[in-house]
Each structure stands twice: as structure tokens, then as C-alpha cells.
């Protein structure tokens, strides 16, 4: 036990802390780009100091445009959102892609494979951190494919990094669904920080143990509610 504590305090703890500090920073950037800056007060579509390629269209083109940009955020906010999202796609998603490729090759090379029927998966995906980070990577890749800003780059009516165009508007809702799922997975993976507190760690461990029992209770409750509801409905 003393050797384990020494390894944790002198070697593993620092590596774990640095890794989680980077993960926490990427989460803060993700929150800023998906839940804070995109809900700031709406501007006129072109902030102060706008570049020439973001200048407001003339009245004739604005009147003929199908999508009004009067609800667009100021230019500086749109640029900040675009930069934050590029950071997430390159640094966070890229890091997870490298992580999963590395550990998948390692498990297949060492024949550490788990079979579910005819499907063979790497052993590291059996841990909740493995499959949840894989889901996060998939959701981030889906967000990149649906990114409204990228779909509006060629059809922005002169408004740089806008999300309001024909293709962008069609992607806003599915993109927001992917963003919501990714946000939940980010916070789920952040729960590893519970190891810094013995009480919180013990609480998290107990919660994971009783989840199955709670699920059984809810199933039984749903069964009895449906049974009595159907029986009452049969009364004349």
C-alpha cells in the first residue's frame, strides 16, 4: 500500500493532473463556443471595426436575400466562436482520434479483444471511460460535418462566419443535438476528478453500484403503474 501511494503521489498524480487540466481547459472552450457566446445579445450583424468582406450588403441585395442577418452576432463574437470551434475540432477531437487509434492498435496487437457475438472490440472499450470517449469523438466528428459556419462560407451574403444561410439553417437543430450530447459526455468524463476527494470518490462509487438497483426499481414501478392504469381503464 505504501508503494502504491508513493507511485501515485510522485509519478501518476502529476501526469493525471496535467491530463485533466488540459481536458478541463478544452471543456471551458467548448462551453464558451456552444453555450455562452452564441447566446450573447444579438448585434446588427457587423460589429465595430468590421472587415471589408464583412460589410453590410446594400439595400437591394438585403431585400432580395432569403435569410435576414439582422439577428447575427457582432463580427468579433462570430470570429471568437469560429476560433473556439476550430480549437475543439483540431485539439480535442484530434487528440481523441489519436488516443483511440493508439489503444485500438495496441489491444489488437496484444490480442486483448472482447467478443460480443461476431463483433470483436478492443478491451479498453469495456471501461466506461473508453466507450464514453469514443462516443464523444463520434459526436465531435458529427458536429464538424454539420458545422453551420462551414456550410455558410460560400453563401454568407457578406457576413463572415455566420450560421444563417439556407444550408446553415437546415443544420442548426441536428448540430445542436450533437452539441448537447457532446456536452454531457464531456462532463461525464470530468467525473474522474472525484479521486481528489475521498468522500466524493466513495459517493461516486456507491452511485455506480446502486444504478442497476434503481433501474430495476423504476422498471417495477412502471410495470405496476401500467398494470393498474389498464385495469382502471377497463372499468365501466
Amino acid at each position: 500500500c505504501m508503494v502504491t501511494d508513493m507511485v501515485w503521489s510522485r509519478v501518476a498524480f502529476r501526469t493525471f493532473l496535467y491530463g485533466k487540466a488540459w481536458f478541463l481547459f478544452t471543456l471551458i472552450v467548448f462551453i464558451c463556443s456552444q453555450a455562452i457566446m452564441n447566446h450573447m445579445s444579438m448585434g446588427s450583424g457587423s460589429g465595430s471595426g468590421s472587415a471589408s468582406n464583412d460589410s453590410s450588403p446594400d439595400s437591394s441585395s438585403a431585400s432580395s436575400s432569403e435569410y435576414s442577418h439582422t439577428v447575427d452576432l457582432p463580427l468579433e463574437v462570430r470570429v471568437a466562436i469560429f476560433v473556439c470551434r476550430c480549437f475543439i475540432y483540431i485539439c480535442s477531437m484530434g487528440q481523441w482520434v489519436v488516443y483511440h487509434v493508439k489503444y485500438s492498435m495496441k489491444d489488437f496487437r496484444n490480442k486483448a479483444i472482447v467478443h460480443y457475438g461476431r463483433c470483436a472490440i478492443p478491451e479498453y472499450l469495456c471501461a466506461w471511460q473508453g466507450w464514453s470517449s469514443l462516443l464523444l469523438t463520434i459526436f465531435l466528428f458529427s458536429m464538424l460535418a454539420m458545422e453551420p459556419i462551414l456550410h455558410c462560407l460560400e453563401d454568407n451574403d457578406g457576413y463572415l462566419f455566420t450560421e444563417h444561410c439556407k444550408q446553415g439553417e437546415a443544420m442548426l437543430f441536428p448540430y445542436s443535438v450533437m452539441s448537447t450530447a457532446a456536452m454531457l459526455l464531456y462532463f461525464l468524463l470530468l467525473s474522474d476528478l472525484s479521486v481528489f476527494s475521498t468522500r466524493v470518490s466513495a459517493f461516486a462509487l456507491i452511485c455506480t453500484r446502486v444504478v442497476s438497483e434503481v433501474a430495476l426499481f423504476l422498471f417495477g414501478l412502471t410495470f405496476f403503474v401500467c398494470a393498474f392504469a389498464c385495469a382502471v381503464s377497463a372499468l365501466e
Side-chain angles (χ1 to χ4, degrees):
C1 183
M2 184 179 299
V3 175
T4 303
D5 291 341
M6 187 177 299
V7 172
W8 166 252
S9 60
R10 296 188 179 182
V11 181
F13 177 77
R14 183 175 300 177
T15 303
F16 177 82
L17 184 61
Y18 287 161
K20 285 304 174 180
W22 169 255
F23 182 80
L24 183 60
F25 176 72
T26 59
L27 174 58
I28 292 174
V29 174
F30 187 76
I31 293 173
C32 290
S33 64
Q34 303 295 331
I36 297 179
M37 288 190 289
N38 59 332
H39 293 297
M40 287 183 174
S41 58
M42 299 301 179
S44 59
S46 58
S48 59
S50 301
S52 59
N53 59 351
D54 193 60
S55 59
S56 299
D58 55 27
S59 57
S60 60
S61 62
S63 60
S64 61
S65 179
E66 182 181 356
Y67 292 90
S68 173
H69 293 273
T70 57
V71 296
D72 257 326
L73 295 167
L75 172 62
E76 54 271 19
V77 177
R78 300 200 305 270
V79 171
I81 291 176
F82 180 73
V83 171
C84 289
R85 291 182 180 180
C86 287
F87 175 84
I88 292 297
Y89 296 141
I90 296 174
C91 297
S92 183
M93 186 183 73
Q95 177 190 16
W96 284 119
V97 168
V98 172
Y99 170 84
H100 287 291
V101 170
K102 174 183 175 182
Y103 280 91
S104 295
M105 293 179 62
K106 179 181 178 181
D107 282 353
F108 280 113
R109 190 181 300 114
N110 297 331
K111 299 186 183 301
I113 302 172
V114 178
H115 291 273
Y116 287 95
R118 296 183 178 181
C119 183
I121 64 172
E123 189 178 30
Y124 83 96
L125 290 178
C126 295
W128 70 267
Q129 294 93 340
W131 60 258
S132 57
S133 61
L134 178 61
L135 283 178
L136 176 60
T137 307
I138 294 173
F139 284 128
L140 290 177
F141 185 81
S142 301
M143 288 174 61
L144 176 60
M146 299 178 184
E147 179 58 57
I149 296 178
L150 297 181
H151 285 277
C152 291
L153 283 179
E154 297 181 356
D155 184 22
N156 54 23
D157 292 332
Y159 288 83
L160 188 63
F161 301 140
T162 183
E163 297 180 342
H164 300 285
C165 65
K166 184 177 181 180
Q167 295 84 359
E169 292 280 354
M171 291 293 176
L172 278 177
F173 179 73
Y175 178 84
S176 65
V177 173
M178 296 295 105
S179 175
T180 302
M183 187 76 71
L184 294 175
L185 287 170
Y186 264 114
F187 276 96
L188 176 63
L189 290 169
L190 192 65
S191 61
D192 273 350
L193 292 178
S194 61
V195 298
F196 291 113
S197 172
T198 306
R199 293 185 61 185
V200 176
S201 181
F203 175 77
L205 180 62
I206 292 174
C207 287
T208 56
R209 299 299 183 186
V210 302
V211 163
S212 59
E213 303 299 328
V214 174
L216 288 175
F217 169 76
L218 293 177
F219 174 77
L221 180 62
T222 303
F223 174 80
F224 281 107
V225 168
C226 291
F228 280 101
C230 294
V232 171
S233 299
L235 289 175
E236 294 292 343

